[in-house]
Amino acid sequence: MKKKMLLLNTTVLLGLGGVLSTPTYASTIQDMESQKSQIQNQRQDVQSNIKAASDELTRLQAEQDQMKAQLERLTIAEEENNKKAQKTEADIKETSKQVEQLEKEIKLLQEKLEKRNDILKDRARSLQESGGNVEYLQVLLGSSSFGDFVDRALAVSTIVDADRGILKETKNMQDELKTKQADVKSKLASLEDMKAELDEMTVQLAAQKKQKDALAKELKDKEAKNEELKASLQAKDSSLANEQSTLEQNIKDQKVAEEAARKAAEQAAKEAAKKAAEQAQKAAAAPAEKADSSSAKAEASKASSNDVAPTSAPAPKASNVVTVGNRWIGNSAYVFGGGRSQSDISHGLFDCSSFVHWAYSQVGVNLGPLGSVSTETLKHAGTQVSSSQMQPGDLVFFDTYKKDGHVGIYVGGGKFIGAQSSTGVAIANMSSGYWKQKFNGRVVRI
């Protein structure tokens, strides 16, 4: 009997053990969980890269905005300088007409002077041949009566007055000619200055247009790269997200199947135990031990991401006139006559003299009325010093389209900051190249 009971219990335990043992698909879930963990780790790396890429996209967007603002400034500068060029061209045409008219008047005066000279030559020749005023005496002495004498005297007086009038008229015409000639000379000089200014303006407009086109191309290229980077990151993130979602669904389905199999196994085990118990009761009165086995499984995964937003230190506040204009480098454009209104200043539109005036105003120094500031007023605004004694903060002057046509602020090291026609506000080298050739040695200390 004991042998029969032992055999029966062994059979039941083996049966239950076969039903409750870990199913073969459990290893598949483990593999998927491991794969999920790997994907999560990869996703963390990708998310970190996406964060870095997002920061870079933000920086590039800020740079794009800055370039767009610069393009707008250059467009305004181009329009204003074109207006100035058109006005200068109109002034040149008008001055040319005036010069042409003056030349005609001078020619007429010269013709009149030649005629007057011929008359005076004839008078002088007549007096010389008659021995002075003998001709006039003979006219008077040849009178037949006192009345005739009076008539002859009046005639002689008229002739003498006529000669005197001719001389006076000739002198006035000569003075007028000199005045008109001086006027023509002055207008021609002014015309030459305007022509030189127009030529310089044309060169500067071409440089500004070239800079504008380069910025536009750079902006277009960066926008294309941004879109490409954005699309690539989104595709990669989407792919990983889909892969993770699919894997999670597979794990979920597998767990549902496992749960169903577990319940079925439990039910089968119960039925087998019940059947074995019934058989045992029939075989013996002693109750059979019921073996029960269970299996458990614990899995966990954790992912964390700590994002730290970048911080930027505030821009250092300009402390003196040498550095106060640095804020406009890359954020300004050159406009003839610009920088003399708050609107121009707000948009970074300066010419050389208005920039110098603005820079000094930022450190509490007034260089006179803003509306009338020019290189001429600035070269008399302080004390002229030798170029060998030049120090940061001094004004330096250059002969461009005219003498003292450009001004900047010396920053040291053979360099100066100023509003240049091709770059807007920028630091330029005056110890070599173009600006060395144009520097005229004038240095003014404010």
Side-chain angles (χ1 to χ4, degrees), residues 74-356:
L74 287 176
T75 300
I76 294 173
E78 188 176 14
E79 292 174 353
E80 293 299 322
N81 287 339
N82 276 327
K83 290 178 183 178
K84 177 66 175 178
Q86 292 172 3
K87 183 179 184 303
T88 303
E89 186 66 36
D91 291 342
I92 289 176
K93 291 181 180 179
E94 180 62 27
T95 305
S96 297
K97 291 180 181 178
Q98 295 176 5
V99 170
E100 184 179 353
Q101 181 62 32
L102 285 172
E103 288 176 344
K104 290 180 180 179
E105 294 177 4
I106 288 173
K107 185 176 181 181
L108 291 174
L109 283 173
Q110 288 174 336
E111 291 175 355
K112 289 181 179 180
L113 280 174
E114 289 177 1
K115 291 180 181 179
R116 294 295 186 273
N117 287 334
D118 291 340
I119 293 173
L120 289 174
K121 286 178 182 178
D122 291 340
R123 294 286 188 185
R125 190 180 300 110
S126 176
L127 289 173
Q128 184 178 7
E129 291 175 354
S130 62
N133 294 330
V134 175
E135 180 181 0
Y136 297 146
L137 292 175
Q138 290 177 348
V139 171
L140 293 174
L141 293 175
S143 57
S144 59
S145 65
F146 181 75
D148 185 29
F149 175 82
V150 172
D151 291 337
R152 288 171 178 258
L154 289 174
V156 169
S157 177
T158 300
I159 293 172
V160 172
D161 289 341
D163 288 343
R164 187 181 295 111
I166 291 174
L167 290 172
K168 184 176 181 180
E169 183 180 359
T170 301
K171 179 64 169 59
N172 290 339
M173 291 175 67
Q174 288 175 334
D175 292 342
E176 183 180 0
L177 177 60
K178 290 180 180 179
T179 299
K180 288 184 178 293
Q181 286 176 330
D183 192 14
V184 168
K185 186 176 181 180
S186 175
K187 286 184 178 297
L188 283 174
S190 176
L191 181 62
E192 290 173 356
D193 286 344
M194 282 192 290
K195 184 64 170 63
E197 183 177 358
L198 179 61
D199 292 342
E200 180 73 12
M201 208 179 303
T202 302
V203 172
Q204 292 165 352
L205 286 173
Q208 288 180 339
K209 184 65 169 59
K210 183 177 180 181
Q211 182 185 15
K212 179 181 176 181
D213 292 341
L215 282 173
K217 184 178 183 304
E218 183 180 355
L219 177 60
K220 185 176 181 180
D221 291 344
K222 287 197 174 185
E223 286 178 343
K225 289 180 180 179
N226 284 353
E227 290 300 327
E228 183 180 353
L229 177 59
K230 182 179 179 181
S232 176
L233 288 171
Q234 289 177 337
K236 189 172 185 179
D237 185 49
S238 177
S239 176
L240 286 172
N242 289 337
E243 186 176 352
Q244 182 176 344
S245 177
T246 300
L247 189 57
E248 288 174 348
Q249 184 61 43
N250 290 340
I251 292 174
K252 182 179 179 180
D253 293 344
Q254 193 69 8
K255 285 184 176 181
V256 169
E258 179 183 353
E259 180 66 15
R262 186 186 66 79
K263 288 181 178 180
E266 287 180 352
Q267 182 64 30
K270 288 180 181 180
E271 291 178 356
K274 181 178 180 182
K275 185 177 181 180
E278 290 175 351
Q279 290 176 354
Q281 286 177 356
K282 291 179 180 180
E289 285 184 16
K290 181 179 180 181
D292 185 25
S293 64
S294 63
S295 61
K297 182 180 181 182
E299 300 174 4
S301 64
K302 181 180 180 181
S304 62
S305 176
N306 296 325
D307 296 339
V308 180
T311 59
S312 57
K317 184 178 181 180
S319 59
N320 54 57
V321 72
V322 175
T323 58
V324 73
N326 289 351
R327 59 172 290 196
W328 294 115
I329 296 176
N331 298 305
S332 60
Y334 186 95
V335 174
F336 274 97
R340 288 164 178 79
S341 68
Q342 189 55 51
S343 176
D344 280 359
I345 294 173
S346 298
H347 289 86
L349 305 177
F350 296 97
D351 63 13
C352 61
S353 53
S354 66
F355 171 73
V356 169

